[in-house]
Amino acid sequence: MIPWALLLLAAGPTEAPWLERLPHGQNLGPILEQVVMELSLGVEESGAFSAPDAPRPSFLGDSWQWSSWYFDGHDISDPLDSGQAAFTVPFPLLSGIQVGLDSDPRVTRGTGLYLSSKALLPRGVGVFGGTGRVGDLVPGALGLTRAFSTTHPRDRLRAPPDERRGPLGRLGLYAFDRALLPSGEWSYGLEAQLGQRQFLTFAPGDGAFTGTFEEPWARVTGFFRLIPKSQAFVATVLAEAKVRDHWGAESGFQPEETQGERRLTLHASVEGGDTQLSFTLTQQHTEATPGFTRELLDPDGQVLFPFVPSGDRVGLNFDVAQGLGLGYLLLNHRAEARSPSYPVQDHPITYGGAPYGLWRMEAETSAQLVGNHRLGIRDSLQSGDFAYRWDLFGTLAYGIHESGGNDLFFVDVGGSFEVRWLGLLGFVPFVELAKTPTPLSPELVHTLDRSALRATFGLGDSRRIYETRGGAFIDVDPDLLPTNIYSAVLGLELPNLGPFQLTARGRLKSYENPLRLSYQGQATETVDGVAFLLPGEKRYLLNNRSADRPIYFALEMLLSAQEPEEYLFQIGFLAYTAAGITPFGNGALANDLGLIDPSSASPNADRLGLANVDGDRAFVTKVAFTYRIWEQLWASATLRHKDGQPFAFFTANERDGQVAFTYHSNRGSPLKYERPLAGPREDFQINVDLAVSYKLRLGDWGGAFNLSAFNLLDLGNTLQEVSGDLGKNGRVALEAQLPRTFYFGFELTP
């Protein structure tokens, strides 16, 4: 299941303590950001800042909508929103993380994160907490950044504000216990966290800093597990309540655009023999600011359409996995029902502060069912000096709406094959080939729902309609084909380099039949290379993009060594390009291969539209090291370097009272390596986390201390830049990266 030898994250037959010794902040976020090579998070993370957020992981350039989350083999993906688990598994329960890629024959459940619980669940109580910002930039930060990227953000035309996005403080506690009763072993526990975060606000257009706002959040998770005396099955129940005040702030929403969120989740699973069965029920209530005004000149080009109807949503993830000898059957259903708070909302639009038009949002109650099923067979054998693995399967995917129409049904086949040559002394070359149909996401199916959203934009005082959004205006091409990922890997393993193991891979992926929305009929007229909308409602067709198919290629390397209870060392390097044409805009909510948005229908989205996707960070290096200094005193460090987020500068084109935005540059520099590059990126980021942990005896109790520092060498590099005229004329930084913070933890165990 592990495509790379992620030793410290591998949950093996014995418990590995590496995970809890690394800097973690009682949360998976720092581990994913600092250690796991295969993914790029769609939110900013340092010191568990993103604990309340959907992380939206992109695995090797793929869309975050195509990823899933698993806990002890059960699918725990959020039935409402892709890119996150439906609940947070308490950190003390975890023994490890595995990354599964669908191109690997050992993986049958799909690309995603596989979390595993400890074989012997914990007993004890603990308290932990995190600080807000500590100190300023490390000495020499400006010079180091200048050496690598010519200018530091503080050298720019306008320096970022001294205020930083970041945590203001966090506090948590947990208690877990287990009991051996005549009926079997019972394990149970509770974890609670509350925190406060700070975000920044900016003026439209030039992005001048205008102030800050705070977001309090809280989360409580309960856990229960029963293993009967017969050990015929294992039953697990988790329940979680989460509250936050500004859902969306992490993605760049301004305070009036965010929503208060209240979320309740119940998960239950049972497994026995070759059968796994689980359901995850989630209820979400959001409260929005009705009728807020939106400025057309967005400072960073992210979240260009922030109008999300608030209200109540209920979702169910029902998952079945059945072993059939060499075969297997996977059934996954995600059902969702929505009830909006307001059937109609009007949002005035301004341009440069002057009235421009009005978006009218009409939403009705709606329901949908998304199914992604797989029936397959897999096996392995060794013949002479060669070892073979394969996985062949058929898939059925569908998206059905209560409102009728725009339903999707896909039947497809896929598979993966691997061959290893074992006949070379000390070298193991291997080849992997795969064809993988991408799963249907709840977001895609919701976009097509004809009753869920009907949005119209009226221009000027006359409110004449020029633009439309929502499933009411979309039809599905009867010849629509599912998106498939074709991949090829050529690799080499050197398992015995003294204490080290080395794995190197070259990977190539091609995305066939990507989905997009196209206009039906004549919707625009082009003047001087810019497409302007014609008056009238716009209708769209969901079809396949025939040209400029996305592509990914990479060099992946991992060197690792470990001595149990003494040390562990791992360094990974990834050089890659992930490029394609995506909806118009910057960031994970636009520049993503799986997103379907009406903006992609405009010819303006294709002009300079071939781009590095948001999950592309070009060059990434991650180092993890932990060492036993004395008895149970351990020191650990993680270091991560990555190139910045690709983004584009925009140009606002005006004609007859209408504004049309075009790219002034590519997002990043796809398939171009000579200077000057085709498009910009944010600054590179270097992040260093340190941790010291110590275990001791306190009478009849055991004690454990943990002290961690996150982003210890704070360089203050750019997090976001102005994408308009001011930015493209001088590279103006909006804000700097997350600041230095500290974490402490103390645990008592009987």
Side-chain angles (χ1 to χ4, degrees):
M1 186 179 291
I2 311 174
W4 295 29
L6 295 176
L7 297 176
L8 70 160
L9 302 181
T14 58
E15 295 302 323
W18 305 121
L19 193 64
E20 61 192 38
R21 291 174 181 154
L22 293 171
H24 55 74
Q26 210 67 23
N27 189 269
L28 279 179
I31 304 291
L32 300 180
E33 178 66 38
Q34 293 287 110
V35 180
V36 180
M37 291 298 302
E38 295 94 334
L39 62 80
S40 173
L41 299 182
V43 295
E44 296 303 319
E45 167 53 44
S46 177
F49 169 79
S50 67
D53 302 330
R56 300 192 185 100
S58 168
F59 290 87
L60 299 180
D62 291 353
S63 171
W64 52 265
Q65 292 191 4
W66 301 337
S67 62
S68 296
W69 294 69
Y70 302 91
F71 178 50
D72 287 339
H74 299 278
D75 191 317
I76 61 169
S77 303
D78 192 335
L80 301 178
D81 298 305
S82 299
Q84 66 177 346
F87 55 89
T88 300
V89 180
F91 197 82
L93 298 180
L94 293 175
S95 67
I97 313 168
Q98 297 179 356
V99 175
L101 300 178
D102 224 341
S103 58
D104 188 326
R106 292 168 290 181
V107 177
T108 59
R109 297 303 308 265
T111 294
L113 283 170
Y114 291 74
L115 314 180
S116 55
S117 63
K118 295 175 179 175
L120 187 62
L121 294 177
R123 301 181 66 195
V125 296
V127 61
F128 58 91
T131 69
R133 176 180 178 180
V134 177
D136 199 9
L137 307 188
V138 69
L142 275 65
L144 179 61
T145 303
R146 289 166 184 159
F148 281 92
S149 61
T150 69
T151 61
H152 188 273
R154 295 187 179 183
D155 300 329
R156 305 282 178 85
L157 181 64
R158 187 181 68 210
D162 291 334
E163 293 284 354
R164 308 265 288 273
R165 172 193 307 212
L168 298 175
R170 185 166 59 100
L171 186 64
L173 57 87
Y174 58 86
F176 291 93
D177 202 359
R178 62 180 183 270
L180 188 60
L181 302 177
S183 56
E185 182 180 276
W186 299 66
S187 302
Y188 46 90
L190 186 75
E191 182 187 69
Q193 294 191 50
L194 56 88
Q196 188 100 344
R197 306 192 293 177
Q198 175 175 280
F199 294 92
L200 310 186
T201 61
F202 303 95
D206 66 357
F209 172 66
T210 57
T212 65
F213 66 98
E214 297 179 2
E215 182 192 35
W217 63 274
R219 182 174 64 221
V220 178
T221 306
F223 171 84
F224 165 82
R225 174 169 289 172
L226 168 63
I227 303 177
K229 193 171 183 179
S230 65
Q231 297 188 344
F233 65 89
V234 177
T236 302
V237 176
L238 287 101
E240 181 175 274
K242 185 174 75 171
V243 178
R244 56 180 301 194
D245 279 5
H246 291 287
W247 172 83
E250 70 280 3
S251 299
F253 287 65
Q254 290 298 283
E256 68 276 6
E257 301 167 356
T258 65
Q259 300 185 13
E261 181 190 36
R262 309 291 182 268
R263 179 183 282 254
L264 299 173
T265 299
L266 176 66
H267 167 81
S269 66
V270 62
E271 58 183 292
D274 293 329
T275 303
Q276 290 187 319
L277 175 68
S278 68
F279 77 86
T280 305
L281 182 66
T282 297
Q283 189 273 337
Q284 180 200 49
H285 175 75
T286 57
E287 298 177 358
T289 302
F292 61 82
T293 298
R294 171 72 170 183
E295 168 59 44
L296 209 58
L297 294 173
D298 185 83
D300 61 3
Q302 301 192 59
V303 196
L304 298 178
F305 194 82
F307 313 112
V308 181
S310 63
D312 293 291
R313 296 195 295 165
V314 177
L316 174 67
N317 181 346
F318 180 68
D319 189 67
V320 178
Q322 177 65 55
L324 304 170
L326 295 179
Y328 59 89
L329 174 66
L330 307 175
L331 304 174
N332 183 262
H333 289 94
R334 299 188 196 183
E336 178 183 351
R338 299 184 180 222
S339 178
S341 299
Y342 307 97
V344 179
Q345 287 195 59
D346 289 340
H347 294 279
I349 306 299
T350 60
Y351 174 61
Y356 178 71
L358 182 132
W359 270 105
R360 167 156 291 186
M361 317 292 294
E362 301 177 53
E364 302 177 12
T365 57
S366 61
Q368 66 182 43
L369 176 66
V370 182
N372 287 289
H373 311 313
R374 180 182 294 190
L375 176 64
I377 183 171
R378 62 173 179 169
D379 200 4
S380 63
L381 64 87
Q382 183 171 338
S383 176
D385 292 334
F386 293 91
Y388 304 90
R389 295 179 185 269
W390 63 86
D391 176 25
L392 303 175
F393 55 86
T395 62
L396 170 64
Y398 49 81
I400 303 173
H401 307 96
E402 181 186 37
S403 60
N406 283 349
D407 295 336
L408 298 176
F409 291 90
F410 292 135
V411 177
D412 208 341
V413 295
S416 54
F417 175 78
E418 178 192 73
V419 57
R420 291 173 174 264
W421 186 12
L422 308 178
L424 297 178
L425 184 63
F427 297 86
V428 183
F430 60 92
V431 174
E432 298 173 2
L433 301 173
K435 173 187 179 292
T436 307
T438 61
L440 288 180
S441 69
E443 287 82 359
L444 169 60
V445 177
H446 176 71
T447 297
L448 301 177
D449 194 325
R450 290 177 172 168
S451 66
L453 178 65
R454 177 186 174 89
T456 57
F457 174 72
L459 180 65
D461 295 333
S462 68
R463 299 291 190 262
R464 189 176 184 183
I465 293 177
Y466 271 75
E467 192 173 351
T468 54
R469 282 175 172 261
F473 304 100
I474 300 175
D475 298 306
V476 176
D477 187 340
D479 297 323
L480 187 72
L481 297 173
T483 302
N484 271 263
I485 305 174
Y486 291 82
S487 64
V489 173
L490 179 62
L492 180 68
E493 286 186 358
L494 287 78
N496 298 304
L497 292 176
F500 294 98
Q501 298 180 10
L502 175 66
T503 302
R505 279 180 170 87
R507 187 185 302 268
L508 174 66
K509 296 194 293 185
S510 176
Y511 300 80
E512 302 298 313
N513 305 317
L515 306 183
R516 66 170 298 176
L517 291 180
S518 301
Y519 287 128
Q520 297 190 61
Q522 185 67 31
T524 64
E525 62 175 341
T526 301
V527 179
D528 296 330
V530 179
F532 291 90
L533 294 172
L534 295 172
E537 291 187 351
K538 304 298 182 292
R539 292 204 63 82
Y540 306 91
L541 183 69
L542 179 67
N543 56 10
N544 297 112
R545 181 183 291 277
S546 58
D548 296 318
R549 289 187 292 270
I551 191 171
Y552 172 97
F553 54 87
L555 172 64
E556 310 162 3
M557 301 183 68
L558 184 74
L559 180 69
S560 62
Q562 70 167 330
E563 180 66 35
E565 295 304 316
E566 291 295 334
Y567 71 89
L568 180 140
F569 171 79
Q570 172 180 294
I571 179 170
F573 174 73
L574 178 62
Y576 68 115
T577 286
I581 297 179
T582 62
F584 193 90
N586 297 324
L589 297 183
N591 190 16
D592 181 271
L593 295 177
L595 291 173
I596 303 299
D597 187 84
S599 65
S600 63
S602 172
N604 296 332
D606 289 346
R607 179 185 177 187
L608 297 177
L610 182 61
N612 290 116
V613 300
D614 189 73
D616 182 312
R617 292 299 184 270
F619 297 99
V620 178
T621 303
K622 296 185 179 183
V623 181
F625 178 72
T626 182
Y627 180 75
R628 186 172 68 88
I629 300 174
W630 171 75
E631 293 188 349
Q632 291 300 311
L633 177 63
W634 289 79
S636 303
T638 59
L639 181 149
R640 182 262 296 149
H641 164 274
K642 66 178 180 180
D643 273 358
Q645 178 189 45
F647 73 100
F649 295 118
F650 297 166
T651 297
N653 307 272
E654 301 180 49
R655 179 176 180 269
D656 296 336
Q658 184 184 161
V659 179
F661 286 93
T662 55
Y663 292 125
H664 180 76
S665 63
N666 293 94
R667 288 167 291 190
S669 189
L671 312 179
K672 185 176 186 295
Y673 302 97
E674 68 274 12
R675 304 286 174 164
L677 295 175
R681 291 180 180 268
E682 314 286 6
D683 282 344
F684 73 92
Q685 289 189 16
I686 293 177
N687 205 86
V688 177
D689 296 345
L690 299 179
V692 176
S693 60
Y694 182 61
K695 290 186 176 182
L696 72 163
R697 296 299 304 177
L698 298 172
D700 294 333
W701 291 73
F705 296 90
N706 184 290
L707 178 64
S708 300
F710 297 98
N711 191 19
L712 185 64
L713 305 180
D714 185 357
L715 299 178
N717 287 336
T718 303
L719 186 61
Q720 293 176 338
E721 293 192 28
V722 174
S723 62
D725 291 339
L726 184 65
K728 64 190 178 188
N729 293 329
R731 298 296 300 266
V732 176
L734 274 176
E735 56 179 312
Q737 68 187 100
L738 298 173
R740 179 187 305 108
T741 58
F742 288 87
Y743 160 86
F744 70 89
F746 175 68
E747 181 182 75
L748 283 175
T749 55

